[in-house]
């Protein structure tokens, strides 16, 4: 059927060729760059619309981690008596929650990107990848704000130290930018895979909401990795997020268990997931409007 | 010769209709094995058939578009017309890259922007100004570009006063104005437009059509325009493509295309009258200038006699509560004039006490050359009772109406021929 029946000059410079089939590696990254302004418009939109018509405005960014920390301190620290590795409990949880939240937000929000944007995607073309990328950047802003809370709390605890606890900023802080990028990309990659699959099979949507919650318990957010018995430890260590959280905690508070090897492992997993995610997403975006 | 800017080549798009869900995994696996591993043709595309909305079929794959070929040259304004489900929207979706074709390809030169719906991505919480930036960026404008044009856009929208108010406080008309204003300032080489003009008030529609004319005629850009509104198609385009059941006609001049399209619609309805009846009383048959026909030709200025026969007699007393209307529409389906027994102060009712036929004489069909389609509409005892859409067609032929040998052209000068007195002093 694709036999050419009409003469046309292939040497002509066409700016755009829309074809039925295209290679899986045709990623249109140039387009992505051309639409970079749009990415920041989306980020701005998310940020502005978040606090419009609220009294507390951006303060809401603080409230969720603050209350979660208080509840965790009470339940896991006081009632269950789980170790905090010699750190003040509040700091221990806040540190884990801040990092985990960023990853979890990136994952859950990108995992519904097709579903949430069917309307706009069905009307106009722009590189679809802009949308998940804008989510990652929007959440980065939020993460930055929440980080301020952590720093404020660290300031408080160094002025009024809790008995039998100590913490300090370490040289691991230089890893911080790298850790943030890893979290963002891992969340993004997983989210892309999930959103692509959910355009056809909705089942996964249900899994994500509670799956992310359960995954938090399989990551060393509410307990230090060093606290785990060796036979379980290797399982928890398989989780790439564990290394990130541990390294994050080491950077800010001076306690955490990770090695160069585990960091390399996490980096490897992240890039494989991200690569797969982009490929699947790219393949799905071309026709998802027809199936969603 | 102007260069070709769009080349559509053997373009097809198949859709799966019905439920998508059960059995998709097994089907996807089978499809994957057959096409990717065995490298054969996709088994699910073979069963496809022509997309006729009205015919039920077992196959759940339809070809919304099949082997579409056409070229568009720089500066052309091309209309795409067709009935619902003919594939117009699918074609636009493919052109604007919202979804990908199943087979075939489209080649494009220059930047293409599509307005499948204005105001896509408007966020209710953001102000008008913020939304201009957001919407502009979604449509592919750079921020610098919007900075440069923002004043012009705001002025065009006519929403200056509300520009720093959240869009959720806007009326729907204002939202559309703002959205169209952004779109109109896109300046792509190729603009694809889908019925955006159906919204907004008359003043704004005029402005919108004017702007589109500027874009295609004044600035020499290429415009693809899809609409059911033949007046807009006529005003904006110089050639059209007719889509029918996913297949496309050759490109033809707009006048010819519209006529062919309307004629193909008429021919489908001829033979049986499309009527809506809501009671026991209806028009059983009718005579046009004494012939039982549904098409007649008369020279401009000649009389038209219409006789309608009811299925059963009514009493002369009941007849006083009968309202009968005949609405004449032009080729673009716009009403031109209406006659009714209610408009005749001296309407006569027979003395015999019974009424079974309704007769109307128009002494002079003072209309410009063209085809006029008549619809009958009847109400009895205060309620609607019968309607025949496209009851008959009157083909008014050019004549020496004014005795000057001069005749206005309906499309340019309007449909009516009125007697007039001129003095040149």
């Amino acid at each position: 059927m694709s036999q050419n029946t009409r003469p046309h000059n292939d040497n002509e410079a066409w700016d755009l060729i829309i074809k039925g089939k295209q290679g899986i590696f045709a990623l249109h990254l140039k387009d992505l760059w051309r639409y970079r302004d749009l990415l920041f418009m989306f980020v701005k939109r998310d940020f502005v619309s978040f606090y419009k018509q609220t009294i507390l405005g951006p303060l809401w960014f603080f409230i969720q981690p603050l209350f979660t920390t208080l509840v965790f301190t009470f339940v896991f620290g006081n009632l269950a008596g789980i170790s905090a590795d010699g750190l003040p409990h509040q700091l221990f949880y806040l540190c884990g929650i801040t990092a985990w939240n960023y990853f979890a937000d990136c994952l859950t929000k990108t995992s519904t990107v097709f579903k949430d944007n069917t309307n706009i995607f069905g009307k106009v073309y722009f590189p679809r990848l802009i949308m998940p990328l804008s989510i990652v950047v929007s959440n980065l802003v939020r993460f930055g704000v929440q980080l301020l809370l952590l720093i404020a709390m660290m300031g408080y605890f160094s002025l009024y130290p809790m008995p039998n606890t100590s913490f300090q900023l370490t040289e691991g802080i230089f890893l911080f930018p790298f850790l943030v990028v890893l979290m963002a990309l891992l969340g993004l990659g997983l989210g892309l895979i999930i959103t692509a699959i959910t355009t056809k099979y909705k089942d996964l949507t249900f899994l994500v909401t509670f799956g992310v919650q359960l995954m938090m318990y399989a990551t060393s957010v509410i307990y230090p990795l060093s606290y785990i018995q060796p036979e379980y430890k290797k399982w928890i260590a398989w989780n790439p997020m564990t290394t990130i959280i541990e390294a994050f905690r080491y950077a800010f508070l001076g306690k955490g268990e990770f090695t160069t090897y585990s960091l390399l492992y996490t980096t490897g997993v992240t890039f494989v997931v991200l690569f797969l995610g982009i490929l699947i997403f790219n393949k799905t975006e071309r026709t998802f409007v027809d199936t969603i | 010769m102007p260069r070709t800017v769009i080349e559509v080549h053997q373009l097809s798009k198949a859709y799966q209709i019905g439920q998508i869900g059960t059995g998709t995994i097994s089907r996807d696996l089978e499809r994957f094995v057959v096409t990717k591993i065995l490298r054969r043709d996709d088994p699910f595309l073979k069963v496809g058939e022509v997309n006729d909305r009205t015919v039920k079929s077992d196959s759940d794959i339809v070809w919304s578009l099949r082997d579409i070929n056409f070229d568009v040259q720089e500066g052309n304004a091309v209309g795409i017309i067709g009935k619902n489900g003919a594939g117009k929207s699918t074609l636009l979706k493919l052109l604007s890259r919202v979804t990908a074709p199943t087979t075939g390809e489209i080649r494009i030169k220059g930047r293409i922007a599509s307005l499948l719906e204005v105001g896509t991505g408007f966020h209710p919480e953001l102000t008008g100004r913020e939304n201009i930036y957001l919407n502009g960026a979604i449509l592919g404008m750079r921020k610098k570009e919007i900075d440069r044009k923002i004043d012009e856009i705001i002025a065009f929208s006519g929403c200056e006063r509300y520009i720093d108010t959240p869009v959720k406080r806007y009326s729907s008309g204002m939202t559309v104005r703002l959205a169209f204003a952004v779109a109109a300032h896109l300046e792509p080489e190729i603009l694809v437009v889908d019925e955006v003009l159906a919204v907004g008030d008359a003043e704004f529609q005029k402005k919108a059509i004017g702007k589109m004319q500027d874009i295609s005629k004044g600035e020499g850009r290429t415009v693809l325009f899809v609409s059911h509104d033949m007046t807009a198609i006529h005003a904006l385009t110089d050639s059209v493509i007719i889509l029918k059941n996913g297949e496309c006609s050759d490109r033809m001049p707009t006048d010819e295309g519209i006529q062919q399209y309307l004629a193909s619609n008429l021919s489908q309805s001829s033979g049986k009258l499309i009527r809506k009846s809501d009671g026991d009383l209806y028009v059983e048959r009718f005579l046009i200038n004494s012939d039982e026909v549904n098409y007649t030709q008369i020279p401009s200025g000649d009389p038209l006699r219409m006789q309608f026969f009811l299925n059963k007699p009514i009493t002369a007393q009941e007849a006083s509560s009968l309202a009968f209307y005949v609405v004449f529409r032009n080729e673009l389906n716009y009403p031109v004039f209406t006659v009714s027994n209610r408009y005749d102060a001296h309407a006569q009712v027979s003395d015999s006490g019974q009424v079974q036929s309704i007769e109307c004489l128009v002494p002079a069909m003072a209309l410009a050359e063209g085809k006029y389609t008549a619809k009958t509409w009847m109400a009895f005892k205060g309620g609607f009772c019968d309607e025949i859409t496209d009851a008959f067609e009157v083909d008014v032929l050019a004549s020496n109406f004014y005795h000057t040998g001069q005749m206005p052209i309906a499309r340019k000068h309007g449909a009516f021929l009125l007697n007039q007195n001129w003095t040149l002093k």
Side-chain angles (χ1 to χ4, degrees), chain B residues 381-403:
Chain B
K381 291 180 175 165
F384 162 79
C385 67
D386 184 42
E387 175 187 308
I388 308 176
T389 27
D390 304 329
F392 58 91
E393 190 181 280
V394 179
D395 196 353
V396 176
L397 307 175
S399 74
N400 197 5
F401 181 84
Y402 288 126
H403 307 291

Side-chain angles (χ1 to χ4, degrees), chain B residues 54-69:
Chain B
T54 52
V55 181
K56 179 118 177 95
S57 151
D58 295 332
S59 161
D60 58 356
I61 297 284
V62 291
W63 290 93
S64 184
L65 287 177
R66 187 139 214 185
D67 288 344
I68 302 287
N69 291 296

Side-chain angles (χ1 to χ4, degrees), chain A residues 1 15-16 18 37 201 290, chain B residues 10 13 28 106 108 110 143:
Chain A
M1 191 155 73
D15 292 317
L16 173 66
I18 303 168
D37 285 349
Y201 316 107
D290 308 339
Chain B
Q10 304 237 312
K13 174 77 182 173
D28 285 350
I106 305 171
I108 290 166
K143 187 167 175 296

Side-chain angles (χ1 to χ4, degrees), chain B residues 176 194-201 204-205 208-209 225 227-229 232:
Chain B
V176 171
D194 186 13
E195 317 235 41
V196 284
L197 304 172
V199 278
D201 56 21
F204 187 70
Q205 279 196 20
I209 291 199
F225 182 53
S227 183
H228 287 291
D229 181 351

